[in-house]
PDB file of all heavy atoms in Angstrom:
ATOM      1  N   LEU A 358      16.111   7.753 -11.673  1.00 97.00           N
ATOM      2  CA  LEU A 358      16.567   8.937 -10.924  1.00 97.00           C
ATOM      3  C   LEU A 358      17.098   8.552  -9.550  1.00 97.00           C
ATOM      4  O   LEU A 358      17.943   9.237  -8.985  1.00 97.00           O
ATOM      5  CB  LEU A 358      15.420   9.930 -10.742  1.00 97.00           C
ATOM      6  CG  LEU A 358      15.085  10.840 -11.912  1.00 97.00           C
ATOM      7  CD1 LEU A 358      13.950  11.778 -11.526  1.00 97.00           C
ATOM      8  CD2 LEU A 358      16.299  11.674 -12.363  1.00 97.00           C
ATOM      9  N   SER A 361      20.200   5.237 -10.173  1.00 93.00           N
ATOM     10  CA  SER A 361      21.547   5.596 -10.632  1.00 93.00           C
ATOM     11  C   SER A 361      21.852   7.041 -10.259  1.00 93.00           C
ATOM     12  O   SER A 361      21.326   7.983 -10.854  1.00 93.00           O
ATOM     13  CB  SER A 361      21.667   5.418 -12.149  1.00 93.00           C
ATOM     14  OG  SER A 361      22.874   6.013 -12.595  1.00 93.00           O
ATOM     15  N   LYS A 362      22.723   7.195  -9.257  1.00 92.00           N
ATOM     16  CA  LYS A 362      23.111   8.554  -8.870  1.00 92.00           C
ATOM     17  C   LYS A 362      23.921   9.207  -9.995  1.00 92.00           C
ATOM     18  O   LYS A 362      23.934  10.427 -10.127  1.00 92.00           O
ATOM     19  CB  LYS A 362      23.915   8.538  -7.565  1.00 92.00           C
ATOM     20  CG  LYS A 362      23.060   8.220  -6.333  1.00 92.00           C
ATOM     21  CD  LYS A 362      23.867   8.377  -5.058  1.00 92.00           C
ATOM     22  CE  LYS A 362      23.219   7.750  -3.842  1.00 92.00           C
ATOM     23  NZ  LYS A 362      22.021   8.436  -3.353  1.00 92.00           N
ATOM     24  N   ALA A 363      24.601   8.368 -10.793  1.00 92.00           N
ATOM     25  CA  ALA A 363      25.351   8.909 -11.938  1.00 92.00           C
ATOM     26  C   ALA A 363      24.370   9.499 -12.947  1.00 92.00           C
ATOM     27  O   ALA A 363      24.555  10.614 -13.441  1.00 92.00           O
ATOM     28  CB  ALA A 363      26.197   7.808 -12.581  1.00 92.00           C
ATOM     29  N   PHE A 364      23.275   8.769 -13.236  1.00 96.00           N
ATOM     30  CA  PHE A 364      22.259   9.288 -14.166  1.00 96.00           C
ATOM     31  C   PHE A 364      21.673  10.579 -13.608  1.00 96.00           C
ATOM     32  O   PHE A 364      21.545  11.583 -14.319  1.00 96.00           O
ATOM     33  CB  PHE A 364      21.135   8.259 -14.393  1.00 96.00           C
ATOM     34  CG  PHE A 364      20.018   8.807 -15.252  1.00 96.00           C
ATOM     35  CD1 PHE A 364      20.041   8.632 -16.626  1.00 96.00           C
ATOM     36  CD2 PHE A 364      18.962   9.530 -14.686  1.00 96.00           C
ATOM     37  CE1 PHE A 364      19.028   9.165 -17.433  1.00 96.00           C
ATOM     38  CE2 PHE A 364      17.948  10.072 -15.478  1.00 96.00           C
ATOM     39  CZ  PHE A 364      17.985   9.886 -16.856  1.00 96.00           C
ATOM     40  N   SER A 365      21.300  10.571 -12.320  1.00 97.00           N
ATOM     41  CA  SER A 365      20.596  11.756 -11.810  1.00 97.00           C
ATOM     42  C   SER A 365      21.534  12.957 -11.754  1.00 97.00           C
ATOM     43  O   SER A 365      21.107  14.084 -12.003  1.00 97.00           O
ATOM     44  CB  SER A 365      19.884  11.486 -10.492  1.00 97.00           C
ATOM     45  OG  SER A 365      20.778  11.203  -9.490  1.00 97.00           O
ATOM     46  N   LYS A 366      22.823  12.724 -11.478  1.00 96.00           N
ATOM     47  CA  LYS A 366      23.763  13.865 -11.490  1.00 96.00           C
ATOM     48  C   LYS A 366      23.869  14.442 -12.902  1.00 96.00           C
ATOM     49  O   LYS A 366      23.801  15.649 -13.100  1.00 96.00           O
ATOM     50  CB  LYS A 366      25.141  13.401 -10.975  1.00 96.00           C
ATOM     51  CG  LYS A 366      26.168  14.490 -10.826  1.00 96.00           C
ATOM     52  CD  LYS A 366      25.758  15.573  -9.836  1.00 96.00           C
ATOM     53  CE  LYS A 366      25.804  15.126  -8.399  1.00 96.00           C
ATOM     54  NZ  LYS A 366      25.513  16.204  -7.436  1.00 96.00           N
ATOM     55  N   ASP A 367      23.993  13.564 -13.893  1.00 96.00           N
ATOM     56  CA  ASP A 367      24.066  14.043 -15.288  1.00 96.00           C
ATOM     57  C   ASP A 367      22.781  14.789 -15.660  1.00 96.00           C
ATOM     58  O   ASP A 367      22.814  15.814 -16.341  1.00 96.00           O
ATOM     59  CB  ASP A 367      24.267  12.868 -16.258  1.00 96.00           C
ATOM     60  CG  ASP A 367      25.670  12.284 -16.159  1.00 96.00           C
ATOM     61  OD1 ASP A 367      26.552  12.952 -15.591  1.00 96.00           O
ATOM     62  OD2 ASP A 367      25.874  11.153 -16.638  1.00 96.00           O
ATOM     63  N   PHE A 368      21.644  14.256 -15.215  1.00 98.00           N
ATOM     64  CA  PHE A 368      20.348  14.885 -15.496  1.00 98.00           C
ATOM     65  C   PHE A 368      20.319  16.308 -14.909  1.00 98.00           C
ATOM     66  O   PHE A 368      19.926  17.267 -15.580  1.00 98.00           O
ATOM     67  CB  PHE A 368      19.229  14.021 -14.895  1.00 98.00           C
ATOM     68  CG  PHE A 368      17.847  14.601 -15.044  1.00 98.00           C
ATOM     69  CD1 PHE A 368      17.058  14.286 -16.138  1.00 98.00           C
ATOM     70  CD2 PHE A 368      17.329  15.465 -14.078  1.00 98.00           C
ATOM     71  CE1 PHE A 368      15.778  14.825 -16.280  1.00 98.00           C
ATOM     72  CE2 PHE A 368      16.053  16.005 -14.215  1.00 98.00           C
ATOM     73  CZ  PHE A 368      15.284  15.692 -15.320  1.00 98.00           C
ATOM     74  N   LEU A 369      20.760  16.426 -13.650  1.00 98.00           N
ATOM     75  CA  LEU A 369      20.752  17.739 -12.992  1.00 98.00           C
ATOM     76  C   LEU A 369      21.631  18.726 -13.750  1.00 98.00           C
ATOM     77  O   LEU A 369      21.253  19.882 -13.976  1.00 98.00           O
ATOM     78  CB  LEU A 369      21.247  17.593 -11.542  1.00 98.00           C
ATOM     79  CG  LEU A 369      20.270  16.874 -10.599  1.00 98.00           C
ATOM     80  CD1 LEU A 369      20.975  16.403  -9.327  1.00 98.00           C
ATOM     81  CD2 LEU A 369      19.106  17.790 -10.242  1.00 98.00           C
ATOM     82  N   VAL A 370      22.797  18.250 -14.165  1.00 97.00           N
ATOM     83  CA  VAL A 370      23.733  19.122 -14.877  1.00 97.00           C
ATOM     84  C   VAL A 370      23.140  19.518 -16.236  1.00 97.00           C
ATOM     85  O   VAL A 370      23.135  20.697 -16.611  1.00 97.00           O
ATOM     86  CB  VAL A 370      25.113  18.432 -15.027  1.00 97.00           C
ATOM     87  CG1 VAL A 370      26.033  19.230 -15.934  1.00 97.00           C
ATOM     88  CG2 VAL A 370      25.742  18.218 -13.648  1.00 97.00           C
ATOM     89  N   ARG A 371      22.596  18.492 -16.961  1.00 97.00           N
ATOM     90  CA  ARG A 371      21.990  18.756 -18.277  1.00 97.00           C
ATOM     91  C   ARG A 371      20.937  19.843 -18.206  1.00 97.00           C
ATOM     92  O   ARG A 371      20.776  20.628 -19.112  1.00 97.00           O
ATOM     93  CB  ARG A 371      21.267  17.485 -18.764  1.00 97.00           C
ATOM     94  CG  ARG A 371      22.019  16.633 -19.709  1.00 97.00           C
ATOM     95  CD  ARG A 371      21.155  15.640 -20.471  1.00 97.00           C
ATOM     96  NE  ARG A 371      20.276  14.754 -19.752  1.00 97.00           N
ATOM     97  CZ  ARG A 371      20.630  13.626 -19.141  1.00 97.00           C
ATOM     98  NH1 ARG A 371      21.901  13.263 -19.137  1.00 97.00           N
ATOM     99  NH2 ARG A 371      19.739  12.869 -18.545  1.00 97.00           N
ATOM    100  N   HIS A 372      20.181  19.881 -17.100  1.00 98.00           N
ATOM    101  CA  HIS A 372      19.052  20.806 -17.027  1.00 98.00           C
ATOM    102  C   HIS A 372      19.362  22.036 -16.169  1.00 98.00           C
ATOM    103  O   HIS A 372      18.450  22.789 -15.830  1.00 98.00           O
ATOM    104  CB  HIS A 372      17.801  20.067 -16.551  1.00 98.00           C
ATOM    105  CG  HIS A 372      17.392  19.008 -17.536  1.00 98.00           C
ATOM    106  ND1 HIS A 372      16.792  19.316 -18.739  1.00 98.00           N
ATOM    107  CD2 HIS A 372      17.573  17.664 -17.536  1.00 98.00           C
ATOM    108  CE1 HIS A 372      16.596  18.193 -19.425  1.00 98.00           C
ATOM    109  NE2 HIS A 372      17.069  17.189 -18.720  1.00 98.00           N
ATOM    110  N   GLY A 373      20.621  22.221 -15.832  1.00 98.00           N
ATOM    111  CA  GLY A 373      21.034  23.432 -15.113  1.00 98.00           C
ATOM    112  C   GLY A 373      20.400  23.563 -13.731  1.00 98.00           C
ATOM    113  O   GLY A 373      20.097  24.660 -13.267  1.00 98.00           O
ATOM    114  N   ILE A 374      20.191  22.429 -13.052  1.00 98.00           N
ATOM    115  CA  ILE A 374      19.556  22.447 -11.721  1.00 98.00           C
ATOM    116  C   ILE A 374      20.653  22.441 -10.657  1.00 98.00           C
ATOM    117  O   ILE A 374      21.589  21.643 -10.749  1.00 98.00           O
ATOM    118  CB  ILE A 374      18.620  21.214 -11.586  1.00 98.00           C
ATOM    119  CG1 ILE A 374      17.528  21.284 -12.671  1.00 98.00           C
ATOM    120  CG2 ILE A 374      17.997  21.151 -10.193  1.00 98.00           C
ATOM    121  CD1 ILE A 374      16.787  19.979 -12.894  1.00 98.00           C
ATOM    122  N   PRO A 375      20.543  23.335  -9.651  1.00 98.00           N
ATOM    123  CA  PRO A 375      21.632  23.448  -8.672  1.00 98.00           C
ATOM    124  C   PRO A 375      21.875  22.161  -7.879  1.00 98.00           C
ATOM    125  O   PRO A 375      20.940  21.583  -7.331  1.00 98.00           O
ATOM    126  CB  PRO A 375      21.170  24.561  -7.722  1.00 98.00           C
ATOM    127  CG  PRO A 375      19.896  25.100  -8.246  1.00 98.00           C
ATOM    128  CD  PRO A 375      19.446  24.292  -9.416  1.00 98.00           C
ATOM    129  N   THR A 376      23.126  21.738  -7.845  1.00 98.00           N
ATOM    130  CA  THR A 376      23.522  20.526  -7.111  1.00 98.00           C
ATOM    131  C   THR A 376      25.022  20.586  -6.869  1.00 98.00           C
ATOM    132  O   THR A 376      25.698  21.474  -7.396  1.00 98.00           O
ATOM    133  CB  THR A 376      23.145  19.256  -7.915  1.00 98.00           C
ATOM    134  OG1 THR A 376      23.389  18.103  -7.106  1.00 98.00           O
ATOM    135  CG2 THR A 376      23.926  19.139  -9.214  1.00 98.00           C
ATOM    136  N   ALA A 377      25.537  19.648  -6.061  1.00 97.00           N
ATOM    137  CA  ALA A 377      26.982  19.641  -5.797  1.00 97.00           C
ATOM    138  C   ALA A 377      27.738  19.220  -7.058  1.00 97.00           C
ATOM    139  O   ALA A 377      27.292  18.337  -7.791  1.00 97.00           O
ATOM    140  CB  ALA A 377      27.278  18.668  -4.669  1.00 97.00           C
ATOM    141  N   ALA A 379      30.332  17.225  -9.184  1.00 95.00           N
ATOM    142  CA  ALA A 379      30.725  15.826  -8.962  1.00 95.00           C
ATOM    143  C   ALA A 379      31.465  15.274 -10.161  1.00 95.00           C
ATOM    144  O   ALA A 379      31.337  15.779 -11.282  1.00 95.00           O
ATOM    145  CB  ALA A 379      29.495  14.968  -8.701  1.00 95.00           C
ATOM    146  N   LYS A 402      30.106   8.513  -3.191  1.00 91.00           N
ATOM    147  CA  LYS A 402      28.799   7.851  -3.290  1.00 91.00           C
ATOM    148  C   LYS A 402      28.841   6.689  -4.257  1.00 91.00           C
ATOM    149  O   LYS A 402      29.303   6.846  -5.393  1.00 91.00           O
ATOM    150  CB  LYS A 402      27.738   8.823  -3.837  1.00 91.00           C
ATOM    151  CG  LYS A 402      27.470  10.011  -2.965  1.00 91.00           C
ATOM    152  CD  LYS A 402      26.294  10.829  -3.498  1.00 91.00           C
ATOM    153  CE  LYS A 402      25.953  11.924  -2.513  1.00 91.00           C
ATOM    154  NZ  LYS A 402      24.787  12.720  -2.914  1.00 91.00           N
ATOM    155  N   LEU A 442      30.507   8.295  -7.432  1.00 91.00           N
ATOM    156  CA  LEU A 442      30.605   9.741  -7.640  1.00 91.00           C
ATOM    157  C   LEU A 442      31.476  10.306  -6.525  1.00 91.00           C
ATOM    158  O   LEU A 442      31.345   9.889  -5.373  1.00 91.00           O
ATOM    159  CB  LEU A 442      29.235  10.406  -7.521  1.00 91.00           C
ATOM    160  CG  LEU A 442      28.147  10.057  -8.529  1.00 91.00           C
ATOM    161  CD1 LEU A 442      26.921  10.907  -8.262  1.00 91.00           C
ATOM    162  CD2 LEU A 442      28.637  10.309  -9.940  1.00 91.00           C
ATOM    163  N   GLU A 444      31.971  13.849  -4.823  1.00 97.00           N
ATOM    164  CA  GLU A 444      31.124  15.024  -4.875  1.00 97.00           C
ATOM    165  C   GLU A 444      31.574  16.074  -3.871  1.00 97.00           C
ATOM    166  O   GLU A 444      31.965  15.739  -2.750  1.00 97.00           O
ATOM    167  CB  GLU A 444      29.701  14.535  -4.540  1.00 97.00           C
ATOM    168  CG  GLU A 444      28.632  15.499  -4.847  1.00 97.00           C
ATOM    169  CD  GLU A 444      27.246  14.851  -4.714  1.00 97.00           C
ATOM    170  OE1 GLU A 444      26.883  13.984  -5.527  1.00 97.00           O
ATOM    171  OE2 GLU A 444      26.545  15.227  -3.777  1.00 97.00           O
ATOM    172  N   MET A 447      28.516  19.857   0.529  1.00 97.00           N
ATOM    173  CA  MET A 447      27.684  21.057   0.659  1.00 97.00           C
ATOM    174  C   MET A 447      27.390  21.284   2.135  1.00 97.00           C
ATOM    175  O   MET A 447      26.857  20.386   2.807  1.00 97.00           O
ATOM    176  CB  MET A 447      26.352  20.872  -0.079  1.00 97.00           C
ATOM    177  CG  MET A 447      26.491  20.708  -1.571  1.00 97.00           C
ATOM    178  SD  MET A 447      24.881  20.644  -2.407  1.00 97.00           S
ATOM    179  CE  MET A 447      24.314  18.991  -2.024  1.00 97.00           C
ATOM    180  N   LYS A 507      13.786  26.807  -9.330  1.00 98.00           N
ATOM    181  CA  LYS A 507      15.103  26.349  -9.788  1.00 98.00           C
ATOM    182  C   LYS A 507      15.257  24.835  -9.772  1.00 98.00           C
ATOM    183  O   LYS A 507      16.185  24.301 -10.369  1.00 98.00           O
ATOM    184  CB  LYS A 507      16.194  26.972  -8.912  1.00 98.00           C
ATOM    185  CG  LYS A 507      16.163  28.481  -8.994  1.00 98.00           C
ATOM    186  CD  LYS A 507      17.438  29.077  -8.489  1.00 98.00           C
ATOM    187  CE  LYS A 507      17.501  30.548  -8.829  1.00 98.00           C
ATOM    188  NZ  LYS A 507      18.049  31.339  -7.748  1.00 98.00           N
ATOM    189  N   ILE A 508      14.370  24.156  -9.027  1.00 98.00           N
ATOM    190  CA  ILE A 508      14.544  22.703  -8.914  1.00 98.00           C
ATOM    191  C   ILE A 508      13.330  21.949  -9.469  1.00 98.00           C
ATOM    192  O   ILE A 508      13.453  21.160 -10.410  1.00 98.00           O
ATOM    193  CB  ILE A 508      14.840  22.304  -7.445  1.00 98.00           C
ATOM    194  CG1 ILE A 508      16.159  22.952  -6.988  1.00 98.00           C
ATOM    195  CG2 ILE A 508      14.885  20.787  -7.303  1.00 98.00           C
ATOM    196  CD1 ILE A 508      16.526  22.723  -5.534  1.00 98.00           C
ATOM    197  N   VAL A 509      12.148  22.200  -8.880  1.00 98.00           N
ATOM    198  CA  VAL A 509      10.987  21.368  -9.229  1.00 98.00           C
ATOM    199  C   VAL A 509      10.586  21.555 -10.694  1.00 98.00           C
ATOM    200  O   VAL A 509      10.464  20.580 -11.453  1.00 98.00           O
ATOM    201  CB  VAL A 509       9.787  21.695  -8.299  1.00 98.00           C
ATOM    202  CG1 VAL A 509       8.529  20.983  -8.777  1.00 98.00           C
ATOM    203  CG2 VAL A 509      10.120  21.317  -6.862  1.00 98.00           C
ATOM    204  N   PRO A 511      12.190  22.922 -13.388  1.00 98.00           N
ATOM    205  CA  PRO A 511      13.127  22.396 -14.401  1.00 98.00           C
ATOM    206  C   PRO A 511      13.247  20.880 -14.390  1.00 98.00           C
ATOM    207  O   PRO A 511      13.475  20.260 -15.437  1.00 98.00           O
ATOM    208  CB  PRO A 511      14.481  23.047 -14.041  1.00 98.00           C
ATOM    209  CG  PRO A 511      14.253  23.934 -12.886  1.00 98.00           C
ATOM    210  CD  PRO A 511      12.811  23.894 -12.485  1.00 98.00           C
ATOM    211  N   THR A 512      13.079  20.258 -13.208  1.00 98.00           N
ATOM    212  CA  THR A 512      13.160  18.787 -13.160  1.00 98.00           C
ATOM    213  C   THR A 512      11.997  18.178 -13.940  1.00 98.00           C
ATOM    214  O   THR A 512      12.198  17.277 -14.771  1.00 98.00           O
ATOM    215  CB  THR A 512      13.139  18.294 -11.692  1.00 98.00           C
ATOM    216  OG1 THR A 512      14.296  18.805 -11.029  1.00 98.00           O
ATOM    217  CG2 THR A 512      13.143  16.779 -11.624  1.00 98.00           C
ATOM    218  N   GLY A 515      12.407  18.782 -17.557  1.00 98.00           N
ATOM    219  CA  GLY A 515      13.505  17.938 -18.062  1.00 98.00           C
ATOM    220  C   GLY A 515      13.043  16.507 -18.281  1.00 98.00           C
ATOM    221  O   GLY A 515      13.377  15.878 -19.286  1.00 98.00           O
ATOM    222  N   GLU A 519      12.850  14.552 -21.886  1.00 97.00           N
ATOM    223  CA  GLU A 519      13.584  13.308 -22.135  1.00 97.00           C
ATOM    224  C   GLU A 519      12.645  12.124 -22.358  1.00 97.00           C
ATOM    225  O   GLU A 519      13.078  10.967 -22.349  1.00 97.00           O
ATOM    226  CB  GLU A 519      14.558  13.052 -20.982  1.00 97.00           C
ATOM    227  CG  GLU A 519      15.592  14.170 -20.916  1.00 97.00           C
ATOM    228  CD  GLU A 519      16.763  13.894 -20.004  1.00 97.00           C
ATOM    229  OE1 GLU A 519      16.970  12.724 -19.639  1.00 97.00           O
ATOM    230  OE2 GLU A 519      17.469  14.852 -19.674  1.00 97.00           O
ATOM    231  N   VAL A 529      12.636  15.035  -3.377  1.00 98.00           N
ATOM    232  CA  VAL A 529      13.836  15.815  -3.653  1.00 98.00           C
ATOM    233  C   VAL A 529      14.493  16.125  -2.314  1.00 98.00           C
ATOM    234  O   VAL A 529      13.936  16.860  -1.497  1.00 98.00           O
ATOM    235  CB  VAL A 529      13.493  17.130  -4.387  1.00 98.00           C
ATOM    236  CG1 VAL A 529      14.769  17.808  -4.870  1.00 98.00           C
ATOM    237  CG2 VAL A 529      12.551  16.881  -5.550  1.00 98.00           C
ATOM    238  N   GLY A 530      15.658  15.528  -2.082  1.00 97.00           N
ATOM    239  CA  GLY A 530      16.429  15.854  -0.886  1.00 97.00           C
ATOM    240  C   GLY A 530      17.218  17.120  -1.196  1.00 97.00           C
ATOM    241  O   GLY A 530      17.945  17.159  -2.190  1.00 97.00           O
ATOM    242  N   LYS A 539      20.034  23.387  -2.990  1.00 98.00           N
ATOM    243  CA  LYS A 539      20.635  22.547  -4.030  1.00 98.00           C
ATOM    244  C   LYS A 539      20.171  21.115  -3.820  1.00 98.00           C
ATOM    245  O   LYS A 539      19.903  20.702  -2.689  1.00 98.00           O
ATOM    246  CB  LYS A 539      22.159  22.583  -3.932  1.00 98.00           C
ATOM    247  CG  LYS A 539      22.749  23.964  -4.190  1.00 98.00           C
ATOM    248  CD  LYS A 539      24.267  23.898  -4.232  1.00 98.00           C
ATOM    249  CE  LYS A 539      24.846  25.283  -4.494  1.00 98.00           C
ATOM    250  NZ  LYS A 539      26.309  25.256  -4.564  1.00 98.00           N
ATOM    251  N   VAL A 540      20.128  20.341  -4.897  1.00 98.00           N
ATOM    252  CA  VAL A 540      19.667  18.948  -4.806  1.00 98.00           C
ATOM    253  C   VAL A 540      20.779  18.071  -4.226  1.00 98.00           C
ATOM    254  O   VAL A 540      21.908  18.070  -4.721  1.00 98.00           O
ATOM    255  CB  VAL A 540      19.249  18.415  -6.192  1.00 98.00           C
ATOM    256  CG1 VAL A 540      18.882  16.936  -6.107  1.00 98.00           C
ATOM    257  CG2 VAL A 540      18.086  19.225  -6.741  1.00 98.00           C
ATOM    258  N   VAL A 541      20.440  17.315  -3.172  1.00 96.00           N
ATOM    259  CA  VAL A 541      21.352  16.299  -2.638  1.00 96.00           C
ATOM    260  C   VAL A 541      21.106  14.983  -3.363  1.00 96.00           C
ATOM    261  O   VAL A 541      22.019  14.274  -3.741  1.00 96.00           O
ATOM    262  CB  VAL A 541      21.125  16.086  -1.119  1.00 96.00           C
ATOM    263  CG1 VAL A 541      22.042  14.995  -0.583  1.00 96.00           C
ATOM    264  CG2 VAL A 541      21.341  17.373  -0.352  1.00 96.00           C
ATOM    265  N   GLU A 542      19.838  14.655  -3.521  1.00 96.00           N
ATOM    266  CA  GLU A 542      19.488  13.375  -4.161  1.00 96.00           C
ATOM    267  C   GLU A 542      18.034  13.414  -4.583  1.00 96.00           C
ATOM    268  O   GLU A 542      17.239  14.212  -4.087  1.00 96.00           O
ATOM    269  CB  GLU A 542      19.665  12.222  -3.171  1.00 96.00           C
ATOM    270  CG  GLU A 542      18.749  12.377  -1.977  1.00 96.00           C
ATOM    271  CD  GLU A 542      18.584  11.138  -1.110  1.00 96.00           C
ATOM    272  OE1 GLU A 542      18.946  10.041  -1.568  1.00 96.00           O
ATOM    273  OE2 GLU A 542      18.073  11.270   0.005  1.00 96.00           O
ATOM    274  N   PHE A 543      17.704  12.525  -5.520  1.00 97.00           N
ATOM    275  CA  PHE A 543      16.307  12.244  -5.843  1.00 97.00           C
ATOM    276  C   PHE A 543      15.986  10.845  -5.329  1.00 97.00           C
ATOM    277  O   PHE A 543      16.796   9.924  -5.451  1.00 97.00           O
ATOM    278  CB  PHE A 543      16.092  12.190  -7.362  1.00 97.00           C
ATOM    279  CG  PHE A 543      16.111  13.514  -8.057  1.00 97.00           C
ATOM    280  CD1 PHE A 543      16.967  13.742  -9.128  1.00 97.00           C
ATOM    281  CD2 PHE A 543      15.243  14.535  -7.679  1.00 97.00           C
ATOM    282  CE1 PHE A 543      16.973  14.958  -9.805  1.00 97.00           C
ATOM    283  CE2 PHE A 543      15.235  15.754  -8.355  1.00 97.00           C
ATOM    284  CZ  PHE A 543      16.100  15.969  -9.414  1.00 97.00           C
TER     285      PHE A 543
END
Side-chain angles (χ1 to χ4, degrees):
L358 280 182
S361 169
K362 288 187 195 290
F364 175 92
S365 65
K366 185 61 72 175
D367 288 344
F368 177 92
L369 289 163
V370 172
R371 262 197 307 280
H372 296 286
I374 299 164
T376 187
K402 297 187 174 183
L442 296 184
E444 194 170 291
M447 296 185 284
K507 300 197 169 140
I508 298 176
V509 172
T512 297
E519 297 192 16
V529 190
K539 296 186 180 181
V540 175
V541 178
E542 62 165 345
F543 286 126

